[in-house]
Amino acid sequence: SRQGWAREREREREEALRGCPELTMKRASTSAQTSSKTAGSMNGGLARIAARCTSRAPRGWCVSRRQTVMMSAANAPDSDSKKGPGSVGALKVVQTLERTVERVGSKQFSLSFATRPAKKQRVVILGTGWGAARLAKELDMGSYDLTIVSPRNHMVFTPLLASTTVGTLDFRSVAVSIRSLQPALGLEPNHFYTAKAKAVDPEAQTVTCVSDDGGEFEVQYDKLAIATGAQGSTFNIPGVEEYALPLRDVADASAIKDKLIKNIAKSQIPGTQEAERRRLLNFVIVGGGPTGVEFAGELSNLVKEDLARAVPQVSCSVRITLIEARDILGSFNPDLRLYASRILSKSGVEIVKAQVKEVSLTSF
């Protein structure tokens, strides 16, 4: 009957579609005998699968295209090798079987097996600052492998860094993990190394790195991005590195916060001399740029709001001094500079126009 014929055709179509994708890809072993047998068996397997697909195609169907491709890797042994074919290394066989079965006046069905992708170029980024983080985030991971080398594993949102020194913001609020920006760093063959770059060899395309424990290692690259930023300058002022605290990273902000807490606590110890107490509560900020002005404002708010409420006997003794050789916020609009100076003065910050010649343990 017509219904029985239709069911028979449907059953044959389903059997044909189930029978084609039974190809199993196996990688050849490193031994000569196994590699040779595997390559031969895969040739035979391809032929059997192709024949099976053709023989199982139902009546009224036709094979419109059948293609078999086989390629050997570049490291396959020469035919003159004493050990015979497939004796050097593992034979890398890439096979593709594609078959399209179509029925007149109906849809096409295509079954294909993907080949192994080509080796991607490796991009090495030095640093995790603004430029490095943006590059890592926007990099096309489908086209490149990525390696990042930096002594810190996060990017810092520096405009808000001053707020973390007094507890207005938590340190986690201004630091973003580089792995969060580029999740592919947690997958092979991408890497993140906590180390510093020591040297670059353009000829060999390698970067020599030094880890925290002093160990050296090399990183190979195809493309190199140097985004380490600039080193802060002390202007060769004696005593800056020994007695002053910079503010460029989360670790610096944490050190300043600890110093503030310790000085305020020491000033309340019974028996502390008045001169020593004034020294402990005298905070000097050198530099009237954005960071210095922001920190002066945050410190002033801490004294006037939190300390005035918690320990009023301390807040009235705190002195904040901002030293700048020129006008504060010199690169900004004059109206903004004037406004910032007026606000800081109202907040109790003393602005001094001067140059620092030397820094000692007790004075500038």
Side-chain angles (χ1 to χ4, degrees), residues 9 13 17 57-63 101-103 107 109:
R9 299 284 78 76
R13 183 182 69 84
L17 292 178
R59 292 186 299 275
W61 295 58
C62 64
V63 178
V101 181
E102 65 178 7
R103 189 174 185 177
K107 295 181 179 180
F109 299 90

Side-chain angles (χ1 to χ4, degrees), residues 93-170:
V93 181
V94 180
Q95 295 177 327
T96 301
L97 176 64
E98 185 176 349
R99 172 179 176 272
T100 302
V101 181
E102 65 178 7
R103 189 174 185 177
V104 178
S106 183
K107 295 181 179 180
Q108 289 186 351
F109 299 90
S110 178
L111 301 174
S112 61
F113 297 88
T115 60
R116 177 179 297 176
K119 183 179 179 181
K120 296 183 290 186
Q121 287 190 322
R122 178 165 297 279
V123 175
V124 175
I125 302 176
L126 304 182
T128 51
W130 289 79
R134 180 62 181 271
L135 175 59
K137 182 180 180 180
E138 300 295 336
L139 188 66
D140 181 10
M141 299 307 297
S143 303
Y144 299 99
D145 293 330
L146 176 63
T147 298
I148 297 180
V149 180
S150 176
R152 68 183 189 189
N153 62 353
H154 57 274
M155 187 206 80
V156 179
F157 191 75
T158 48
L160 296 179
L161 189 60
S163 299
T164 63
T165 59
V166 296
T168 304
L169 292 178
D170 188 75

Side-chain angles (χ1 to χ4, degrees), residues 313-325:
Q313 68 276 15
V314 172
S315 64
C316 62
S317 302
V318 173
R319 181 185 177 189
I320 303 174
T321 304
L322 176 62
I323 299 178
E324 170 59 45

